[in-house]
Amino acid sequence: MASDVDTAPLVGRAELVQTVRSALLGDGAHGQTAAVFLTGESGVGKTRLLGEIGDRLREQGAVVLTGSCLDIGDASPLHPLLQALRRFDADLSTRARTSSAVRGLLQMFADETAGPDGAGALLERVSRGLHLIAEGRPLVLILDDLQWVDRSTRQLLLYLLAGLGDLQLSVLAAVRAESLQGAHPLRRVLTELRRLRTVRVLDLAPLGRADTEELAAAVVGRTLSAEAAEQVWQRSGGNPFVIEELARDLRDGRDGLSETLREIFLDRVDALPQHAHAVVHAVAAGVEPVQHWLLAQVLRLPEDELIDAARAAVAHRLLVGADDGYRLRHRLVAEVLAHELLPAERSGLHRRYAEALTAAPGELHQARLAHHWRLAGEPARALPAAVAAAQEAERLHGYAEAHRHWSAALQLAADPGPLTVDRVELLENAAEAAHHCGEHARALALLEELAALRGGEPSCALHIRRARYLAAAGRSALAEEEYQRALKAADCSPRDRAAAAARLAELLLHLGRYADAGERAREALALAENVEGSATEVVLASSALGFSDACLEDPDAGLAVMRDALDTAERAGQPEDVACAYLHLAELLTGPLNILEEGVVVARRGAERVAELGLGRTWGTRLLAIAINGLFRVGQWAEAEKVVAAALRHRPSGADAVELLLARCRLSVGYGDIEAAGRDLDAVATLLAGGGARHVIPLLTLRSGLAMWEGRHDVARLAVQRGLTESRSDDVMILSALVWHGLRAEAEAHASRTVDVDPTAVRRLRDVADRVARKSAGAARPVRSVVEGFLALCAAEVSRLDGSDPELWAVSAAEWDRRNHPYPAAYSRLRQAEALLARRSRVATAGKLLREAYHVAQGLGAVPLTSEIRELAGRARVSLEEREPNGGNRGAPTEEADDELAALTAREREVLALVAEGLTNKEIGQRLFISERTIGVHVSHIFDKLQVRTRVQASAIQLRNHRG
């Protein structure tokens, strides 16, 4: 049944039509290029709108060319433009001159051959041809299904929208939103085009409730009843195509799935031979992939007939056959066919599946068994299979799968038939599996149901479990309270007491309260001596004690305790113990001990190990976050970006997500990606309900740093003051970093004169810095070393309030060089140069310092720092290019002085050429065999040197300077 889309009225889009017309041909677009891109899901009405708007634009006197892109990749260059020209030529009847220009351009395409003048010259000739066609009138190019645009057309759009070719052009294009996934090249193009004042990207939303009812009523031909209107609204989600199909079904007295969609698939199924028809029904009811032997048992067909039937289903493009079995080409077929079988037929199919799986030799397929017995209407037989599937998943450390199976078992236990079910045990197992796989909210909800089922006062074990789940969810304050309740509980056994003390020690360690953590760890180890089989408690307490000792007393002894804890955990074989030991060892190496390279290796090796144990989403994510932080400190930001991408694939939640988001935010702040950093900080703040200083202080430190790059020094000040107020942490390193940000905020306020310096805040910050210095004096040497670096920054920032002291900045730079932290070292050199220039002394030294800082900042991709260095160098008339002794620039290009690309390096020219082809950073990286982040750094440098803001503008310069 064909859809009568054109006969239905256009509803709910009048304002949008006017907005697009105004954007393309209104006063604001007069005399310049303009573009509107409509994005939206399939069926939302993009094509209909293109036609409607095109008609209105023709009525306004515009020349409108309409084409569509084909889903055949780059096989047909410039296809939509050629199609548009041919359609336009066919519609011309009176304007002979215009017709001649159209045919001339079409002939030019027909005669085009590869030549030395290349793609740039072709684009210029296309532009001239379109100019002749327009004859001074506004020209509008309308393109449908732009998600399939070929590379040549994409390059033409960039060229024309850059304003080249002396042509007033407007572009109206429709893009299917769901197609712009992953590294789709059009995603980056649209992101860049959004920044242009004359380009608008409009997301076409589904219709609202009132418009949905109006459109459905127009199709039905009468006002809908309240019940029918509600049904159409709920089932359609406001999608116009679906609304019209549902309304036609309603008008024609049909119910269920859209008849159009149903008929498309049913016609293809009905065309199958009888046995092939049965094969498709069986595969639709099965769990894909359906193995050939299993299909044979379910259908009970002779082998030859089964093979012929399967071959026919594959040939009709309903099934896909592979070595592991058969799959439906589209799962919508299963939804369609589900309504074609009687309930008895469906349950019979599932029963045959279950019986075949039960009778199969070898290992039982418990998960499939549970599925098929349940749908066969046999919950009593499905429940044992679901429990067995969950236990099997846990044995293989597949906690996410185990959680699904335990949840299914809980549902089946509601009607267990003759079976006796221990619901308490099911809830305990389901909650623990949810905790292990990172579903923290679900774990807590199941635990509350368990407590309600048991009734009475919560047991010590329940307090401990709730505390564990709360800590994993990032609710540290509540977790600490629960551990305290467990230790005070009357029923607390020696084992429970040792477990509570050990886990509390670990929690205090994460909160940065190292002295308290060490005290609880010693208590836990003493309790564990009298408990048989207490390896877990020993590992947790030893890790906390080793970390505490390494920070506060003896680094070597503490590190040895940590390594012994890891060995103990590996021997015991408990996944969480192994993960905990790796985590604390990596934290110690990359943090207090500042042994960064080894710490990164331990963190990444630990992440691989815990992923093998099924804890990749939780502990693995946190270990990768530690690796990211270590890589950030040593200046390997591009490698850190790769680790971020790997960690995000785990889809972490709770405290695990907090660690990763903070690590990614450090990179974003360094790169100057203000929007991304703000999003991550907001997400962390949301997750940190009841969080401890271990997370809150880094969060506020980053928020302060971000605010300073934005010039919001008052916001930066407030973030630091809040951190000082809320802190209970013993971690002098994160405190010293926070104090530096506070003093820097005051110094930036003084330098910018946008906000008055707060003398009270300065005094408080200096007092805290002195307190940190006194406290760190008794800490281990590596801890003192890191703190001294931040205190050097603090002293230098204070000097900025009353004439910046270059010597203090020189000390700071040396401190951070010694620790191999390039970013704060480069920042210190910038400030040292600034202080020297302010005193008008040692200008040559200042220039050298700026060049050194500039080289480091550019290599990192630290855009804000690079910009500040460049701004200071510009004011002081200091060249940032290295010079040879003869006065020439090192690596200076040989092109003429007026070459716009003369400032680019050879690699940057390579990158720019590929940008002009419309490639994304990822595609360019694959072409040049370097990382995507490095490409991003090159693109940033290209933009800076060419003084452009978008890829479109950069591409215009490339095309203007390179014809071959």
Side-chain angles (χ1 to χ4, degrees):
M1 175 179 174
S3 179
D4 311 321
V5 171
D6 292 335
T7 65
L10 186 65
V11 173
R13 306 299 193 194
E15 183 177 345
L16 179 65
V17 170
Q18 184 57 40
T19 298
V20 174
R21 289 174 60 191
S22 177
L24 297 178
L25 294 185
D27 293 338
H30 182 68
Q32 57 186 335
T33 60
V36 174
F37 296 87
L38 298 175
T39 67
E41 65 181 357
S42 299
V44 81
K46 300 182 296 295
T47 301
R48 175 71 185 282
L49 272 172
L50 293 186
E52 189 77 20
I53 295 169
D55 291 341
R56 306 281 181 89
L57 295 175
R58 289 187 186 93
E59 293 171 3
Q60 289 182 249
V63 176
V64 179
L65 303 178
T66 303
S68 300
C69 303
L70 299 179
D71 186 16
I72 55 174
D74 290 343
S76 182
L78 296 174
H79 165 81
L81 178 60
L82 288 167
Q83 182 190 59
L85 290 170
R86 292 181 183 120
R87 287 177 175 174
F88 188 69
D89 185 43
D91 292 339
L92 287 174
S93 58
T94 59
R95 301 180 72 99
R97 183 175 175 182
T98 302
S99 181
S100 175
V102 172
R103 289 168 186 167
L105 186 53
L106 286 170
Q107 188 61 43
M108 185 273 291
F109 281 116
D111 297 339
E112 180 69 12
T113 58
D117 51 358
L122 172 62
L123 297 181
E124 285 188 358
R125 290 197 292 274
V126 171
S127 178
R128 287 198 299 269
L130 292 175
H131 182 78
L132 292 173
I133 293 170
E135 295 184 291
R137 295 170 290 169
L139 178 66
V140 181
L141 179 59
I142 297 181
L143 300 176
D144 200 5
D145 288 324
L146 196 67
Q147 71 277 359
W148 294 326
V149 66
D150 60 276
R151 182 170 296 169
S152 299
T153 303
R154 194 164 68 230
Q155 189 173 353
L156 173 65
L157 287 177
L158 291 173
Y159 179 88
L160 295 176
L161 290 176
L164 304 179
D166 191 27
L167 174 69
Q168 182 193 349
L169 173 79
S170 296
V171 174
L172 174 60
V175 185
R176 189 177 298 175
E178 62 263 35
S179 298
L180 300 184
Q181 303 297 323
H184 195 291
L186 198 59
R187 289 183 68 187
R188 181 59 60 87
V189 172
L190 289 178
T191 299
E192 295 294 334
L193 290 177
R194 282 179 190 265
R195 301 177 184 175
L196 297 181
R197 186 172 56 84
T198 57
V199 174
R200 300 189 65 177
V201 180
L202 302 178
D203 297 318
L204 195 57
L207 298 179
R209 175 69 174 265
D211 291 330
T212 296
E213 187 170 346
E214 180 183 345
L215 177 57
V219 173
V220 173
R222 65 179 186 277
T223 301
L224 273 63
S225 66
E227 181 181 354
E230 174 68 16
Q231 185 182 47
V232 171
W233 166 246
Q234 293 294 339
R235 296 181 68 191
S236 70
N239 184 288
F241 175 78
V242 180
I243 293 168
E244 293 173 26
E245 292 301 318
L246 292 174
R248 290 188 185 93
D249 287 345
L250 190 62
R251 179 192 64 194
D252 300 334
R254 292 185 295 268
D255 192 15
L257 192 68
S258 163
E259 197 63 28
T260 300
L261 296 175
R262 181 185 300 279
E263 288 186 4
I264 289 173
F265 290 107
L266 284 182
D267 285 347
R268 291 168 63 185
V269 173
D270 290 342
L272 293 171
Q274 179 182 357
H275 292 325
H277 191 279
V279 165
V280 173
H281 272 283
V283 173
V287 177
E288 296 181 346
V290 178
Q291 298 94 328
H292 185 81
W293 69 265
L294 182 57
L295 192 62
Q297 292 292 318
V298 170
L299 292 178
R300 300 164 187 168
L301 288 173
E303 181 68 9
D304 291 345
E305 292 183 21
L306 178 61
I307 290 176
D308 288 342
R311 191 187 304 279
V314 171
H316 280 72
R317 302 183 63 78
L318 287 164
L319 291 187
V320 175
D323 291 341
D324 60 349
Y326 301 103
R327 294 176 173 83
L328 294 171
R329 187 173 290 275
H330 198 301
R331 284 305 302 174
L332 186 59
V333 174
E335 183 180 344
V336 171
L337 294 183
H339 298 281
E340 299 302 305
L341 294 177
L342 294 172
E345 290 177 297
R346 284 197 301 274
S347 62
L349 266 176
H350 288 294
R351 179 179 295 279
R352 291 201 297 275
Y353 267 116
E355 290 171 346
L357 289 168
T358 302
E363 187 178 355
L364 286 176
H365 305 263
Q366 299 289 0
R368 289 190 176 190
L369 267 179
H371 170 78
H372 287 300
W373 280 129
R374 179 176 63 83
L375 293 179
E378 298 274 3
R381 303 182 73 173
L383 178 56
V387 170
Q391 292 169 339
E392 177 66 13
E394 286 180 342
R395 186 180 66 81
L396 299 174
H397 310 297
Y399 294 109
E401 293 78 9
H403 174 227
R404 289 198 298 272
H405 295 316
W406 285 121
S407 297
L410 280 170
Q411 291 178 342
L412 292 166
D415 183 20
L419 293 180
T420 300
V421 176
D422 185 348
R423 189 167 182 82
V424 168
E425 182 180 355
L426 289 180
L427 284 168
E428 286 179 340
N429 285 307
E432 194 69 7
H435 165 68
H436 280 306
C437 74
E439 295 288 346
H440 303 304
R442 174 66 173 160
L444 286 165
L446 290 168
L447 201 61
E448 293 309 310
E449 185 179 347
L450 176 63
L453 188 63
R454 283 178 168 171
E457 287 294 320
S459 66
C460 177
L462 191 64
H463 282 304
I464 293 174
R465 181 176 284 199
R466 183 182 288 123
R468 287 171 51 222
Y469 295 177
L470 286 167
R475 299 162 69 180
S476 305
L478 294 175
E480 184 178 356
E481 292 175 6
E482 283 295 321
Y483 280 131
Q484 297 289 1
R485 291 191 186 102
L487 289 168
K488 295 174 182 176
D491 66 333
C492 197
S493 67
R495 178 180 296 280
D496 286 340
R497 196 173 300 279
R503 293 190 180 279
L504 178 55
E506 183 199 16
L507 176 65
L508 294 170
L509 186 68
H510 280 297
L511 296 177
R513 292 159 55 187
Y514 301 143
D516 292 342
E519 181 181 344
R520 284 295 184 183
R522 290 184 177 89
E523 176 187 345
L525 288 172
L527 290 167
E529 287 181 359
N530 302 316
V531 177
E532 188 72 24
S534 57
T536 296
E537 290 73 22
V538 170
V539 169
L540 292 175
S542 297
S543 295
L545 179 60
F547 201 107
S548 174
D549 285 349
C551 290
L552 302 177
E553 298 177 13
D554 186 343
D556 293 334
L559 189 57
V561 171
M562 301 279 289
R563 295 190 193 280
D564 288 343
L566 177 58
D567 291 340
T568 301
E570 288 284 13
R571 287 195 302 271
Q574 289 297 320
E576 275 204 340
D577 296 348
V578 174
C580 177
Y582 264 116
L583 182 78
H584 293 319
L585 179 58
E587 282 182 324
L588 181 65
L589 291 167
T590 58
L593 300 189
N594 198 41
I595 309 174
L596 296 174
E597 288 80 3
E598 182 184 355
V600 169
V601 170
V602 169
R604 299 180 82 166
R605 185 170 65 230
E608 293 176 1
R609 177 74 178 107
V610 300
E612 294 171 359
L613 298 173
L615 301 175
R617 184 182 179 194
T618 51
W619 294 90
T621 298
R622 294 164 70 181
L623 281 160
L624 291 177
I626 293 171
I628 295 162
N629 290 330
L631 291 167
F632 176 84
R633 292 181 185 122
V634 298
Q636 297 183 33
W637 292 9
E639 183 64 23
E641 281 282 287
K642 295 180 183 177
V643 182
V644 168
L648 285 172
R649 286 195 285 270
H650 291 310
R651 296 179 296 105
S653 65
D656 314 313
V658 167
E659 300 277 6
L660 179 59
L661 290 172
L662 287 173
R664 183 171 69 174
C665 185
R666 287 185 184 91
L667 286 168
S668 297
V669 171
Y671 284 135
D673 192 340
I674 304 298
E675 184 179 348
R679 282 198 308 268
D680 282 346
L681 289 175
D682 289 344
V684 169
T686 302
L687 290 168
L688 277 184
R694 181 69 173 221
H695 290 140
V696 171
I697 293 181
L699 163 68
L700 294 171
T701 303
L702 286 169
R703 196 175 287 285
S704 174
L706 179 63
M708 279 186 275
W709 284 135
E710 295 178 294
R712 301 163 63 200
H713 308 307
D714 53 341
V715 175
R717 171 191 295 154
L718 290 173
V720 172
Q721 294 301 318
R722 181 186 159 200
L724 294 175
T725 301
E726 296 185 6
S727 170
R728 291 177 57 202
S729 176
D730 291 335
D731 194 329
V732 289
M733 289 190 300
I734 63 174
L735 279 174
S736 59
L738 180 69
V739 173
W740 166 47
H741 277 70
L743 290 168
R744 180 183 161 203
E746 298 300 334
E748 295 288 353
H750 175 73
S752 67
R753 303 187 186 280
T754 56
V755 180
D756 291 335
V757 174
D758 185 344
T760 303
V762 173
R763 282 196 301 273
R764 183 185 185 192
L765 288 164
R766 296 182 71 173
D767 289 344
V768 175
D770 291 341
R771 190 164 67 247
V772 167
R774 290 193 301 271
K775 198 168 187 177
S776 65
R781 177 60 202 162
V783 176
R784 293 201 308 273
S785 177
V786 175
V787 172
E788 286 166 0
F790 282 113
L791 292 178
L793 282 167
C794 291
E797 295 288 3
V798 170
S799 78
R800 290 177 70 194
L801 298 173
D802 187 24
S804 189
D805 186 344
E807 295 305 317
L808 290 176
W809 286 113
V811 170
S812 177
E815 289 282 350
W816 290 109
D817 281 339
R818 186 157 54 85
R819 292 163 184 78
N820 190 28
H821 288 226
Y823 184 78
Y827 173 78
S828 298
R829 287 189 171 84
L830 163 65
R831 295 297 173 221
Q832 184 185 358
E834 183 181 56
L836 289 171
L837 292 169
R839 298 184 179 196
R840 299 181 180 178
S841 65
R842 298 165 56 192
V843 175
T845 300
K848 180 182 178 183
L849 290 167
L850 283 175
R851 283 188 287 274
E852 290 175 355
Y854 184 68
H855 174 74
V856 171
Q858 276 204 315
L860 292 173
V863 175
L865 183 59
T866 301
S867 299
E868 190 165 352
I869 294 168
R870 188 182 293 113
E871 181 182 346
L872 177 60
R875 291 200 310 267
R877 299 183 179 179
V878 171
S879 173
L880 294 175
E881 299 296 327
E882 295 285 351
R883 296 186 176 276
E884 296 289 355
N886 62 8
N889 284 342
R890 184 179 302 163
T894 60
E895 288 78 8
E896 296 83 353
D898 61 347
D899 183 355
E900 293 176 281
L901 307 182
L904 304 186
T905 65
R907 175 64 88 183
E908 287 166 353
R909 288 169 180 254
E910 284 184 283
V911 172
L912 178 58
L914 296 174
V915 167
E917 287 187 28
L919 271 66
T920 64
N921 284 2
K922 183 175 182 180
E923 291 172 329
I924 296 171
Q926 292 170 344
R927 182 80 62 88
L928 299 181
F929 301 102
I930 52 182
S931 74
E932 183 178 358
R933 173 51 62 183
T934 302
I935 295 299
V937 173
H938 284 309
V939 171
S940 176
H941 293 170
I942 291 167
F943 284 10
D944 290 341
K945 292 179 180 181
L946 298 183
Q947 297 184 352
V948 298
R949 297 181 60 192
T950 70
R951 297 170 89 90
V952 172
Q953 294 166 339
S955 299
I957 294 175
Q958 165 70 13
L959 294 167
R960 189 159 60 232
N961 284 269
H962 283 274
R963 309 295 187 188

